[in-house]
Amino acid sequence: MTSADSEGDLIARREGSCGVIRLNRPKAINAVTLEMFRDVDKALDQFEADPDVAVILLEGAGERGLCAGGDIRALWESSKVRGDLGKILWREEYILNARIKKFPKPYVAFMDGIVMGGGVGLSAHSSHRVVTERTKLAMPEVGLGFFPDVGGTWLLSHAPGEIGTYFGLTGQTMNGPDAIHARFADAVVPSGKLAALREALTKVGAGATSAEIKTLIEGFATGETAGPVAAMQEKIDNWFAHDRMEDIVASLQRDGSEVALATLKTLNEKSPRGMVVTLKLLRLARESSSLEECLVREYRAALEVFASDDFREGVRAAVIDKDRSPKWSPPRIEDVTPAMLAPYFAEIGADELKFN
């Protein structure tokens, strides 16, 4: 764990009755490294054991956002040389995601600004999820030849109707109210009130209950619960109510409206393999009984993604060369065969993800 004085990549300290965890890489929009995940875990160990800590607060340094995701460049470099960073990082990250979901003390996440990928995993499983008018939350992994992981398949599959399918496949951004509608967040608090809410959290009494923290947060909240995407619920439910990508595409084509064609254009930019894997993971998640069950499945698929050309190509096009012109393999949805899909869902023996 890093002390505040040394201003490391993660700052963890007690402020009053609040155990504060601050992601501290503002120039990288607090993108999370393996060491930072380990430091979060250590901080939770300390705060869980400390009777003077009543509540946890997760926040991000700087003005741009809580967290733009994992350190994707490091993963790309490891994947290129057939390294094992993906295997190690995702194992520890997913176990941490499950821990946050079950953490015994109230855990508040300030999901201000950009919140993507790994940032969603650190915040959207917490007991109290605060968004603002500046929130831009997304799981854009299909654009990297990947899928919404960090328990994203669990979260998305529990959104109302097909809203989760829509966000998971398009990678589109949610604003604060839509994040609440999609069940990724609980309350919209104006960004100008976060400092006052933070101060209040440091002063809660020992043994404060989740219900008491919820009431405290509601005192600062706007009460908004739905944004622009929620208004499209009926259309989205019709378009995405299919278990095959080909049928979703056909539904959008049949509609032919401007918004349907814009959605189709977005899908056409994504990895065909990534979309097919994502859709199957989302449908399996609907039948799952726990976050852990989804994380086990995601870990199997993630290891297969890490070894794939699509992942390396997607990251190259979006992050490395930034030419936004990935050459997907295969290039069409209809060319993704059952044989290609099978390894993403196969058991992996001794490497299976296990929880304490």
Side-chain angles (χ1 to χ4, degrees):
M1 199 184 310
T2 312
S3 71
D5 295 332
S6 63
E7 294 292 302
D9 289 347
L10 189 114
I11 298 169
R13 65 185 176 196
R14 182 163 67 83
E15 296 184 28
S17 55
C18 189
V20 178
I21 298 174
R22 182 181 303 142
L23 308 180
N24 193 41
R25 297 182 69 209
K27 291 180 181 176
I29 320 180
N30 303 314
V32 202
T33 63
L34 174 59
E35 208 51 50
M36 289 168 73
F37 287 127
R38 290 173 173 171
D39 284 346
V40 170
D41 199 47
K42 291 174 190 172
L44 292 178
D45 284 343
Q46 178 180 319
F47 294 149
E48 185 174 352
D50 187 343
D52 293 326
V53 171
V55 60
I56 310 302
L57 171 63
L58 175 75
E59 62 184 9
E63 297 295 315
R64 297 168 70 191
L66 171 66
C67 176
D71 188 349
I72 204 75
R73 184 181 288 267
L75 286 165
W76 178 76
E77 288 172 351
S78 180
S79 176
K80 276 204 310 176
V81 298
R82 305 296 193 266
D84 59 2
L85 180 60
K87 181 178 180 179
I88 296 167
L89 183 146
W90 287 321
R91 177 182 295 278
E92 296 188 29
E93 181 181 14
Y94 295 1
I95 290 170
L96 178 59
N97 299 149
R99 180 181 189 182
I100 290 167
K101 172 81 171 170
K102 292 187 171 182
F103 199 71
K105 296 181 180 181
Y107 182 124
V108 181
F110 280 2
M111 301 166 75
D112 186 34
I114 293 170
V115 186
M116 294 185 181
V120 173
L122 291 175
S123 59
H125 299 300
S126 55
S127 54
H128 305 280
R129 305 163 300 178
V130 175
V131 287
T132 74
E133 80 284 355
R134 303 190 303 192
T135 295
K136 295 179 179 178
L137 190 155
M139 301 210 76
E141 289 82 1
V142 285
L144 299 175
F146 200 29
F147 60 85
D149 67 329
V150 299
T153 62
W154 170 260
L155 292 162
L156 291 164
S157 68
H158 285 76
E162 298 296 341
I163 287 286
T165 314
Y166 167 80
F167 279 123
L169 291 173
T170 63
Q172 293 288 77
T173 301
M174 310 177 200
N175 68 5
D178 269 331
I180 292 177
H181 180 71
R183 300 175 189 161
F184 273 68
D186 303 299
V188 178
V189 172
S191 58
K193 292 186 177 182
L194 286 181
L197 173 55
R198 189 184 191 281
E199 178 72 12
L201 288 169
T202 67
K203 295 178 178 177
V204 300
T209 66
S210 265
E212 289 168 339
I213 299 298
K214 181 174 186 284
T215 299
L216 172 63
I217 292 169
E218 286 173 349
F220 293 85
T222 65
E224 295 168 90
T225 58
V229 176
M232 294 169 54
Q233 178 87 56
E234 186 178 350
K235 288 181 180 294
I236 286 170
D237 287 351
N238 288 331
W239 295 334
F240 288 87
H242 306 281
D243 296 337
R244 295 184 339 125
M245 278 307 306
E246 293 93 332
D247 296 331
I248 291 173
V249 167
S251 182
L252 289 163
Q253 289 172 332
R254 276 196 306 275
D255 183 295
S257 65
E258 186 175 341
V259 66
L261 294 178
T263 302
L264 190 59
K265 182 177 183 294
T266 298
L267 292 178
N268 285 338
E269 295 166 355
K270 310 303 180 187
S271 159
R273 190 189 307 220
M275 287 189 290
V276 174
V277 168
T278 295
L279 184 57
K280 184 169 181 178
L281 285 169
L282 290 175
R283 295 302 183 246
L284 289 169
R286 279 186 177 167
E287 309 302 320
S288 297
S289 59
S290 68
L291 168 63
E292 284 93 340
E293 191 178 329
C294 292
L295 287 166
V296 167
R297 197 181 293 119
E298 290 176 10
Y299 189 65
R300 294 171 182 169
L303 295 190
E304 190 64 23
V305 167
F306 193 65
S308 74
D309 292 334
D310 255 22
F311 174 69
R312 289 186 285 273
E313 175 62 7
V315 176
R316 180 206 62 76
V319 179
I320 309 301
D321 297 338
K322 298 182 180 179
D323 59 24
R324 307 288 173 183
S325 298
K327 305 292 188 291
W328 300 121
S329 174
R332 303 184 310 159
I333 291 165
E334 50 269 39
D335 294 332
V336 181
T337 66
M340 287 178 193
L341 275 187
Y344 292 84
F345 299 90
E347 294 182 6
I348 52 177
D351 285 333
E352 291 283 15
L353 190 64
K354 296 179 180 68
F355 303 93
N356 296 333

